[in-house]
Amino acid sequence: MKTRGKLIDFAIDVFLFCFSILMILPLVFLVSNAFKTPEEIVAWPPRIIPTDPTLENFRSVLADTPLPMWIFNSVAFSTLSMVAIVMTSAIAGYVLAKFPFRSLNIIFILILATAIVPFEVYMIPLYFQAQALGVLNSLWGLLLGYLVMSFGIFLIRQNVMHSIPDELLEAARIDGAGEFWIFWKIVLPLLRGALGALAVLAFFQAWTSFAWPMIVTTTRDSYTIEVGLALFQTGFTVDLGRLSAASAAVLVPSITLFVILRRNFVQGVASTGMKE
């Protein structure tokens, strides 16, 4: 039985290894194509390591497009959206979990109900609001649709309910602590793992958003990187070399953030799964 179990574990490991290779292969070719000449990109069979590596694709992208500005717009948009979502989710999740008002249950149900409404449904009314406020083609216009995340409120509420005992909060109140002090000094430190996971999710939600930045920004300098990358594709051709070079450069900020917050992300998701 032990031998059979080891064989099954070995087969599972081999399958997962092959599956992970298949998943990571497009990313490897993306980075590889960024250093290839146009002839080598379309050559068959494709090669992972370029025979004649070149930086011409990167030089062309930086000379012909405002790529650094697009990356800056995306980083600023994603970072501010992440901060706003973490703050609103932490405050709303704590209030909904620990304050004993019946009306809060109704509000929580309404918040959950908004999660099933696609963003595209209220995107156009939101665009007219941005137009009325005069924030089109600006960072504030981008942020208008990414300040609150219903799933983030749900995630924090569940973590507060299961990881912060009422007795701890009552003891702090008896000692004379105010609600803001309790929230800042007790609640937030205990939610570090969940907030880290939410920060990663919120950052990548804004970083990969396309539809909203596409309609709220119309000038070349106000594009985010997702909208800017779409310019490399026309109705008939795709500039694979420059598109690969721009995409490879875009990977740096997102991978850096994930590496920094990966421990909190794994802890937050794992703890949420166990308590659900």
Side-chain angles (χ1 to χ4, degrees), residues 10-30:
F10 179 74
I12 293 174
D13 291 342
V14 170
F15 172 77
L16 292 178
F17 177 77
C18 295
F19 187 74
S20 62
I21 293 296
L22 286 176
M23 290 296 101
I24 203 172
L25 205 55
L27 186 62
V28 172
F29 271 108
L30 171 70

Side-chain angles (χ1 to χ4, degrees), residues 6-276:
K6 288 181 180 179
L7 287 176
I8 293 174
D9 291 342
F10 179 74
I12 293 174
D13 291 342
V14 170
F15 172 77
L16 292 178
F17 177 77
C18 295
F19 187 74
S20 62
I21 293 296
L22 286 176
M23 290 296 101
I24 203 172
L25 205 55
L27 186 62
V28 172
F29 271 108
L30 171 70
V31 177
S32 173
N33 288 341
F35 296 95
K36 292 179 180 177
T37 60
E39 294 77 15
E40 193 174 4
I41 291 176
V42 296
W44 187 263
R47 295 173 61 90
I48 293 179
I49 301 176
T51 55
D52 187 18
T54 176
L55 295 176
E56 183 56 33
N57 292 323
F58 290 95
R59 278 196 290 268
S60 177
V61 166
L62 293 174
D64 299 339
T65 66
L67 182 65
M69 178 62 73
W70 295 343
I71 294 177
F72 172 78
N73 291 339
S74 282
V75 171
F77 167 46
S78 303
T79 303
L80 291 176
S81 172
M82 176 185 70
V83 172
I85 287 175
V86 168
M87 289 177 60
T88 54
S89 298
I91 296 172
Y94 171 57
V95 171
L96 291 172
K98 292 299 181 183
F99 284 70
F101 300 113
R102 279 187 186 176
S103 58
L104 293 179
N105 291 329
I106 299 174
I107 294 174
F108 180 61
I109 292 173
L110 292 176
I111 291 173
L112 286 182
T114 61
I116 64 175
V117 180
F119 180 70
E120 288 74 12
V121 171
Y122 52 89
M123 187 168 60
I124 298 305
L126 199 61
Y127 170 80
F128 288 117
Q129 288 188 7
Q131 188 180 42
L133 292 172
V135 293
L136 295 178
N137 297 313
S138 71
L139 187 59
W140 306 115
L142 289 168
L143 282 173
L144 197 60
Y146 287 83
L147 294 173
V148 180
M149 181 193 288
S150 56
F151 172 74
I153 295 174
F154 169 77
L155 177 71
I156 299 302
R157 177 183 180 272
Q158 297 306 101
N159 273 272
V160 170
M161 289 180 64
H162 294 289
S163 63
I164 301 178
D166 293 337
E167 292 78 7
L168 180 62
L169 303 179
E170 290 300 327
R173 292 188 181 106
I174 292 173
D175 288 341
E179 291 299 329
F180 179 78
W181 191 94
I182 293 173
F183 176 72
W184 188 258
K185 294 290 185 180
I186 298 177
V187 176
L188 288 184
L190 292 176
L191 292 175
R192 189 177 303 165
L195 292 176
L198 178 60
V200 174
L201 293 175
F203 183 89
F204 283 106
Q205 176 188 250
W207 183 264
T208 58
S209 62
F210 178 75
W212 176 246
M214 186 180 66
I215 69 168
V216 84
T217 59
T218 55
T219 60
R220 194 175 168 89
D221 288 339
S222 63
Y223 287 165
T224 61
I225 189 62
E226 291 290 329
V227 180
L229 289 178
L231 297 180
F232 292 99
Q233 180 176 357
T234 68
F236 303 97
T237 61
V238 180
D239 192 339
L240 286 177
R242 297 202 305 168
L243 179 59
S244 299
S247 300
V250 169
L251 289 175
V252 176
S254 53
I255 291 177
T256 302
L257 179 75
F258 184 77
V259 169
I260 294 173
L261 294 177
R262 71 183 189 285
R263 182 172 298 176
N264 287 335
F265 179 75
V266 173
Q267 287 178 350
V269 174
S271 61
T272 303
M274 285 188 294
K275 286 156 187 169
E276 283 301 304

